[in-house]
Amino acid sequence: MAGNDSLEGLRERLAQFAAERAWEPFHTPKNLSMALIAEAAELVEHFQWLTPEQSAALPADKLEEVAMELADIQIYLIRIADRLGVDLIDSARRKIAINETRYPAERVRGDARRADEYDH
Amino acid sequence: MAGNDSLEGLRERLAQFAAERAWEPFHTPKNLSMALIAEAAELVEHFQWLTPEQSAALPADKLEEVAMELADIQIYLIRIADRLGVDLIDSARRKIAINETRYPAERVRGDARRADEYDH
Amino acid sequence: MAGNDSLEGLRERLAQFAAERAWEPFHTPKNLSMALIAEAAELVEHFQWLTPEQSAALPADKLEEVAMELADIQIYLIRIADRLGVDLIDSARRKIAINETRYPAERVRGDARRADEYDH
Amino acid sequence: MAGNDSLEGLRERLAQFAAERAWEPFHTPKNLSMALIAEAAELVEHFQWLTPEQSAALPADKLEEVAMELADIQIYLIRIADRLGVDLIDSARRKIAINETRYPAERVRGDARRADEYDH
């Protein structure tokens, strides 16, 4: 990542956080992928009994709880990318370019079905 | 997010991507949380039969596949934060500050047990 | 599980399936929990862009795909319980009894909020 | 499911549990799939910092906690199958038969790679 980027600052801070606690041996990509999905599930849990509409209109206290779940996911995502030497921003840009090819706007307008359904 | 930040550029590009495809009605926080965890699971799937050590030493082709899964997670994370009006970088910084208090280095060194186990 | 139960028959068949393929070394509870959540995510993926109402009225071909995802989850659930020596039926009965106490009908009628919200 | 089967008894008890609490409107397949994966993640969380070996040798109190997570998954699995009219036992039997064809023992012995890797 570019040295002046905010993700880069978080990456360094999280690496130091783990180092100070001697947590690196636990922070294998396998283990971190488990921690990440556990945080993703806490996000899901907030929304499971809400209607889609309610999920877009959270009261302030719920929104702050959800923001902290998003933060947890971002933290583990940065951490696993760091352990693997992956550049998140570059990877996301490349994936978006792939998606722009896979889902031509004129073909999928208003239809969010999965890409593989178009390929069958 | 700061206007010159790389996450901000991705946020705008993804909002445009969804708008051009008329996908906004599908992109409720509830639905996006489901899409995000499905991508997190694809990451997990790469590692499920590997040892923790193997997960840290992926061959180049697997590493690229994993980078694209990380990208998918980052993409949905940006998208859900955008729909909720949450600033990912600010939230992550605040959550790290909380974690620094919850897990004092001298207390948890070498022990990655969950925070709630310290509270019981 | 009771010896004449259908889950017991599946447990035996799945143990033999793994043994014939020499997959036991891969089938640790940690690894199986990852495989299980990956299957759960494939279920989620079927529903992510559907309304709650649409998810309850699947066309026949989709319903069969979903049935196979449910089967995958059941299979890994039986397998992990077997590796841990846990009786699924007995555990489920005990957990339902706990839930009956945690969520008294007269108190939670029409309100599916999480149990911990009642405790705060 | 066969009327004398233990899963059938649980299915009826869980349907009554939901009815008494007027929770059926919340129990769409979409919502239940979210609740199920949230429970699967609680299982994953127990194992995330353990070695695969440690995950197979849990102390008794942890094993009981894990048994209750397995129960939660089984409960939501029964519930979602019930809402969709899917027979879990029959589906699992059919899926195992498919797996027996997809993964011939002589071909995959000692190799737990994903099926799709064999197809490429």
Side-chain angles (χ1 to χ4, degrees), chain B residues 9 13 20 24 26 29 38 40 43 46-47 49-50 58-59 70 73-74 86 90 93 95 116 118:
Chain B
R13 189 167 165 192
E20 288 170 354
E24 286 110 334
F26 298 102
L43 179 70
H46 279 280
F47 297 131
W49 307 126
L50 302 185
L58 300 177
L70 297 178
I73 299 168
Q74 183 67 71
V86 167
D90 172 67
R93 284 179 184 150
K95 187 57 193 284
D116 60 349
Y118 289 99

Side-chain angles (χ1 to χ4, degrees), chain C residues 5-6 64 72 94-95, chain D residues 5-6 64 72 94-95:
Chain C
D5 193 89
S6 49
E64 174 59 13
D72 283 326
R94 289 193 292 119
K95 187 58 193 285
Chain D
D5 193 89
S6 48
E64 174 60 13
D72 282 327
R94 290 192 292 119
K95 187 58 193 284

Side-chain angles (χ1 to χ4, degrees), chain D residues 104-116:
Chain D
E106 66 277 11
R107 192 176 173 202
V108 301
R109 190 177 302 279
D111 185 347
R113 283 179 300 167
R114 296 186 294 167
D116 60 349

Side-chain angles (χ1 to χ4, degrees), chain C residues 8 16 19 21 25 27-29 39 41 46-47 52 63-64 71-72 74 82 87 99 101 118-119:
Chain C
E8 172 62 14
Q16 188 183 350
R21 285 155 186 79
H27 281 195
T28 60
E39 298 298 345
H46 279 281
F47 297 131
L63 183 58
E64 174 59 13
D72 283 326
Q74 183 67 70
D82 192 22
D87 184 320
N99 286 343
T101 305
Y118 289 100
D119 300 337

Side-chain angles (χ1 to χ4, degrees), chain A residues 17-29:
Chain A
F17 183 92
E20 288 170 352
R21 284 156 186 78
W23 283 359
E24 287 109 336
F26 299 102
H27 282 195
T28 60

Side-chain angles (χ1 to χ4, degrees), chain B residues 68-89:
Chain B
M68 290 300 100
E69 309 292 4
L70 297 178
D72 282 327
I73 299 168
Q74 183 67 71
I75 285 168
Y76 280 119
L77 192 59
I78 292 169
R79 192 78 187 114
I80 193 170
D82 191 23
R83 297 298 270 181
L84 288 166
V86 167
D87 184 320
L88 280 175
I89 298 294

